[in-house]
């Protein structure tokens, strides 16, 4: 009975508001402000997969719309429709990037592509080509 009373008291004292979720199922909450400014609420994300926390920084990224909301640069949380539109847009973008890369590679092999005169562009192009093709090690032969 005591634990029920404590949970009820905590809920009344510090109400938590469920704000929404992303397409992976992560949930976002908003807590009342801890500072003197009541407009600056505390915003948190509860990951659906706890293993995400063990990956470290950069291993998993939440959508940029939710990141902006968490950082208070966006006043309203994103909707699921907005997140779905953005995912569809990114998928189309990746298809277009792959198509352009394949076309440029074919032009390079055919000798139709004019060599770049800017060395920085050449270095960036070589780095992106090296990242897209797996390196073969001498041990694998």
């Amino acid at each position: 009975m005591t634990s029920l009373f404590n949970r009820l008291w905590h809920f009344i004292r510090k109400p938590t508001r469920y704000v929404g979720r992303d397409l992976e199922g992560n949930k976002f909450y908003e807590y009342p402000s801890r500072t003197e400014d009541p407009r600056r609420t505390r915003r948190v994300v509860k990951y659906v997969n706890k293993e995400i926390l063990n990956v470290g920084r950069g291993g998993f990224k939440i959508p940029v719309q939710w990141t902006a909301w968490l950082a208070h640069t966006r006043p309203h949380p994103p909707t699921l429709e907005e997140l779905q539109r953005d995912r569809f847009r990114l998928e189309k973008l990746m298809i277009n990037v792959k198509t352009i890369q394949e076309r440029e590679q074919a032009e390079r092999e055919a000798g139709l592509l004019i060599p770049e005169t800017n060395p920085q562009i050449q270095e960036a192009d070589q780095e992106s080509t090296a990242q897209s093709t797996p390196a073969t090690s001498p041990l694998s032969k």
Side-chain angles (χ1 to χ4, degrees):
M1 186 69 175
T2 308
S3 104
L4 176 64
F5 178 74
N6 286 340
R7 283 187 287 172
L8 184 60
W9 179 251
H10 180 73
F11 180 74
I12 292 170
R13 246 182 77 221
K14 296 182 179 182
T16 302
R17 185 173 74 98
Y18 171 75
V19 178
R21 66 177 181 85
D22 64 6
L23 297 175
E24 281 75 34
N26 301 313
K27 295 179 182 177
F28 296 83
Y29 296 91
E30 193 167 33
Y31 295 94
S33 174
R34 289 184 183 178
T35 63
E36 292 139 11
D37 186 7
R39 296 170 297 174
R40 182 84 172 175
T41 58
R42 189 169 66 107
R43 298 174 174 178
V44 297
V45 57
K46 304 255 175 153
Y47 295 102
V48 68
N49 184 0
K50 299 295 181 189
E51 293 175 9
I52 290 171
L53 301 175
N54 298 332
V55 172
R57 296 204 182 268
F60 175 78
K61 297 186 185 215
I62 59 175
V64 69
Q65 296 90 345
W66 278 113
T67 304
W69 180 81
L70 287 168
H72 291 272
T73 55
R74 178 187 175 124
H76 304 292
T79 63
L80 285 175
E81 293 80 21
E82 179 183 358
L83 296 172
Q84 288 170 339
R85 280 193 312 267
D86 190 52
R87 179 179 277 180
F88 180 70
R89 182 190 63 82
L90 288 174
E91 288 171 358
K92 283 177 48 177
L93 178 68
M94 294 309 295
I95 291 169
N96 291 340
V97 166
K98 185 177 178 184
T99 303
I100 291 170
Q101 287 176 339
E102 289 171 354
R103 183 175 58 212
E104 285 182 350
Q105 183 64 30
E107 289 174 356
R108 260 188 224 101
E109 290 170 0
L112 300 174
L113 197 61
I114 299 172
E116 298 288 339
T117 56
N118 187 341
Q120 290 177 341
I121 295 175
Q122 286 179 338
E123 290 173 10
D125 188 37
Q126 289 172 356
E127 288 175 7
S128 66
T129 305
Q131 290 174 355
S132 64
T133 58
T136 58
S137 83
L139 300 175
S140 64
K141 292 181 181 178

